Amino acid sequence: MNSIKLENKNLAGVVTPEQISAYDKVATDAIYQIENATGEGSDFLGWAHLPSSITDAEIEDINNTAKNLSDNCDVVVAVGIGGSFLGAKAVNEALSDAFATSHKVVFAGQNIGEDYLSQLLNFLKDKTYGIIVISKSGTTTEPAIAFRLLRENLEKKLGKAEASKRIVAVTDASKGALRKMADTEGWKTYIIPDNVGGRFSVLTPVGLLPIAVAGFDIKALVEGARAMEMTTMKPGADNIAQTYAMTRNALYNAGKKIEILVNYNPRLHYFAEWWKQLYGESEGKDGKGIFPTAVDFSTDLHSMGQWIQEGERTIFETVLSVECSDNTVVIPSDKDNLDGLNYIAGKRVDEVNKMAELGTRIAHVDGGVPNIRITIPSINEKHLGELIYFFERACGISGYILGINPFNQPGVEAYKRNMFALLEKPGYEQQTAEIKKRI
């Protein structure tokens, strides 16, 4: 049995169970394509059986490296963008104390913000720090800029030899600029598997090392993913990844072009950011694909709630519902009751939150917004591992149902070509001349 549950009964009359079941054969075919590596993009299916292939020795090695960094550094900077950033950020934020005065892991290379990098260098000024640099090539603009700045700063502070002990590179096995630098300088390295795309890489050292440095249990994370892998390998009514993929495709073909991932726990904000990349980059191609977006409720009910309730009916919601919070906070009674809250005095804050969730789901379904609900027992490493793999497997199935290659991302190169031309990168002379005519 899955710890995570899926409910797809409240679809506002947009699609029927029979219309969803009509996708059963193509979904079954998609699962076989993943299992037998016969579909488009099959050279990027390394994620599919990744959890079950990770050994205790590999986990121990990552934990040892994480301990070495943690013991010798006040803070560790994880440098990466896209899948080399969002997975670790999602897990670390979900498991961290929201009001901790300091975090063991901070992130860089996920933007080109000059003020951000300046503030980061200022933050690190009086701290001993290490660097985990994550890049297949080592030449991706955003992390390459951040790493060059941080490496120079660290080497000035400690000297080249000592700095080298505090740099770990997660990169290609044999090629690329970062691999060459790591081999030349003698940095500790981990490999990004050739057959795992960035957005599917959180369960490789790309995500596991920064998560381990932050002090979280990567073995439990992998075990959760492994359990979900085992229960979603075969087609059938109890395969919740298959059910999710079929339901969202039925809704898409019924005119619901936007999927809103909803959470009622602020700890899951960055998980939704990871999900947005996973589905946006996997399905947005060939003029097709559901647009993935996300909201934090009840916060965004006071900003986006009106549009969701009564705006254009092109949306559906997938709600992440957490059964148990980690803490207990009871609302006190007040003798004057000026705020009118005595009617909920003695109740837990989480009970109020759950009634807000239930009331909103009912209102949105009544307003014509289909709702899929995914229930998570609690937010811990095991259940996050399950949730990560669930969405990955469902993404592969959904993409094949849609009739696209869910494992490439040709469109992301367009902006890079223009940026390189505008910056007059060597080798882009013709593109530079052409683009300057347009501006």
Side-chain angles (χ1 to χ4, degrees):
M1 294 293 291
N2 296 317
S3 295
I4 293 172
K5 300 171 186 173
L6 183 139
E7 178 186 320
N8 66 342
K9 297 177 181 178
N10 297 306
L11 301 179
V14 174
V15 295
T16 65
E18 291 74 24
Q19 288 172 310
I20 295 170
S21 296
Y23 288 88
D24 188 67
K25 183 182 185 304
V26 67
T28 297
D29 290 344
I31 292 170
Y32 286 136
Q33 284 179 297
I34 292 170
E35 288 301 306
N36 299 311
T38 56
E40 281 194 279
S42 59
D43 50 337
F44 278 94
L45 283 171
W47 59 270
H49 297 296
L50 180 62
S52 59
S53 71
I54 299 171
T55 66
D56 287 345
E58 288 172 320
I59 291 173
E60 183 180 8
D61 182 62
I62 292 171
N63 277 329
N64 287 340
T65 299
K67 186 177 187 305
N68 182 57
L69 284 169
S70 186
D71 287 349
N72 291 286
C73 302
D74 299 322
V75 64
V76 175
V77 186
V79 180
I81 196 168
S84 297
F85 155 67
L86 283 168
K89 179 72 170 178
V91 174
N92 285 359
E93 288 290 321
L95 298 174
S96 292
D97 182 337
F99 297 97
T101 55
S102 63
H103 292 279
K104 198 68 182 183
V105 177
V106 298
F107 293 88
Q110 78 277 28
N111 59 52
I112 320 177
E114 188 165 20
D115 289 339
Y116 183 95
L117 287 167
S118 176
Q119 290 166 6
L120 174 62
L121 290 169
N122 187 60
F123 168 75
L124 296 170
K125 191 183 301 180
D126 59 351
K127 294 177 175 63
T128 302
Y129 70 93
I131 305 170
I132 302 169
V133 55
I134 306 164
S135 176
K136 190 81 170 168
S137 65
T139 59
T140 303
T141 305
E142 296 90 339
I145 291 171
F147 181 55
R148 179 180 283 202
L149 289 166
L150 289 162
R151 179 188 174 191
E152 179 190 56
N153 181 272
L154 188 63
E155 288 178 350
K156 282 183 177 178
K157 181 183 286 194
L158 300 177
K160 200 166 187 178
E162 190 61 32
S164 291
K165 298 176 185 177
R166 299 165 194 251
I167 298 174
V168 179
V170 185
T171 189
D172 191 87
S174 59
K175 61 183 184 296
L178 184 55
R179 168 52 63 185
K180 185 175 180 180
M181 279 189 276
D183 289 347
T184 300
E185 302 298 335
W187 302 331
K188 170 75 174 178
T189 63
Y190 288 96
I191 294 169
I192 302 174
D194 285 336
N195 60 356
V196 179
R199 58 189 177 275
F200 289 87
S201 67
V202 61
L203 297 173
T204 73
V206 168
L208 295 181
L209 181 57
I211 293 167
V213 172
F216 302 119
D217 187 349
I218 60 171
K219 186 174 183 180
L221 186 79
V222 170
E223 286 175 350
R226 186 179 295 143
M228 186 59 68
E229 177 192 331
M230 294 299 106
T231 59
T232 55
M233 287 171 57
K234 295 180 180 179
D238 58 348
N239 186 329
I240 62 172
Q242 177 181 344
T243 301
Y244 176 58
M246 290 165 56
T247 304
R248 63 195 303 276
N249 273 277
L251 289 167
Y252 175 63
N253 285 304
K256 302 302 180 182
K257 306 298 185 182
I258 300 167
E259 180 175 11
I260 304 175
L261 190 71
V262 180
N263 77 79
Y264 285 80
N265 192 312
R267 295 165 64 184
L268 293 174
H269 173 83
Y270 272 96
F271 192 92
E273 295 300 300
W274 170 82
W275 172 87
K276 281 159 60 177
Q277 185 203 2
L278 179 66
Y279 280 82
E281 207 166 78
S282 295
E283 293 192 327
K285 59 198 68 165
D286 300 343
K288 301 177 182 179
I290 298 167
F291 180 78
T293 186
V295 290
D296 300 318
F297 284 169
S298 64
T299 304
D300 289 338
L301 285 171
H302 297 263
S303 56
M304 292 296 294
Q306 172 62 40
W307 192 95
I308 295 170
Q309 186 70 45
E310 296 184 342
E312 187 178 65
R313 302 294 77 182
T314 53
I315 60 172
F316 68 95
E317 292 179 311
T318 295
V319 178
L320 297 180
S321 182
V322 181
E323 285 184 331
C324 300
S325 56
D326 292 344
N327 302 286
T328 300
V329 177
V330 176
I331 298 166
S333 180
D334 182 89
K335 64 181 180 64
D336 296 323
N337 195 32
L338 295 178
D339 54 16
L341 289 182
N342 274 357
Y343 77 101
I344 53 173
K347 295 183 183 295
R348 290 181 58 187
V349 171
D350 190 55
E351 183 181 349
V352 177
N353 192 37
K354 282 185 169 52
M355 292 306 100
E357 176 189 326
L358 178 58
T360 302
R361 286 194 285 113
I362 292 170
H364 287 179
V365 171
D366 288 347
V369 181
N371 261 243
I372 301 169
R373 186 185 184 208
I374 297 167
T375 304
I376 313 154
S378 61
I379 299 176
N380 60 28
E381 290 92 337
K382 177 180 180 292
H383 297 315
L384 286 173
E386 290 177 324
L387 195 61
I388 286 166
Y389 190 87
F390 159 76
F391 276 125
E392 289 181 346
R393 172 66 73 153
C395 186
I397 299 169
S398 185
Y400 280 149
I401 292 174
L402 190 60
I404 51 91
N405 176 356
F407 307 116
N408 66 355
Q409 56 279 341
V412 301
E413 299 302 317
Y415 91 89
K416 294 180 183 179
R417 289 192 294 269
N418 289 343
M419 179 177 69
F420 294 153
L422 290 165
L423 290 169
E424 301 185 19
K425 183 176 180 177
Y428 283 77
E429 290 79 8
Q430 182 179 344
Q431 294 93 326
T432 297
E434 290 172 355
I435 203 167
K436 283 188 173 180
K437 294 175 183 176
R438 299 174 57 186
I439 59 177

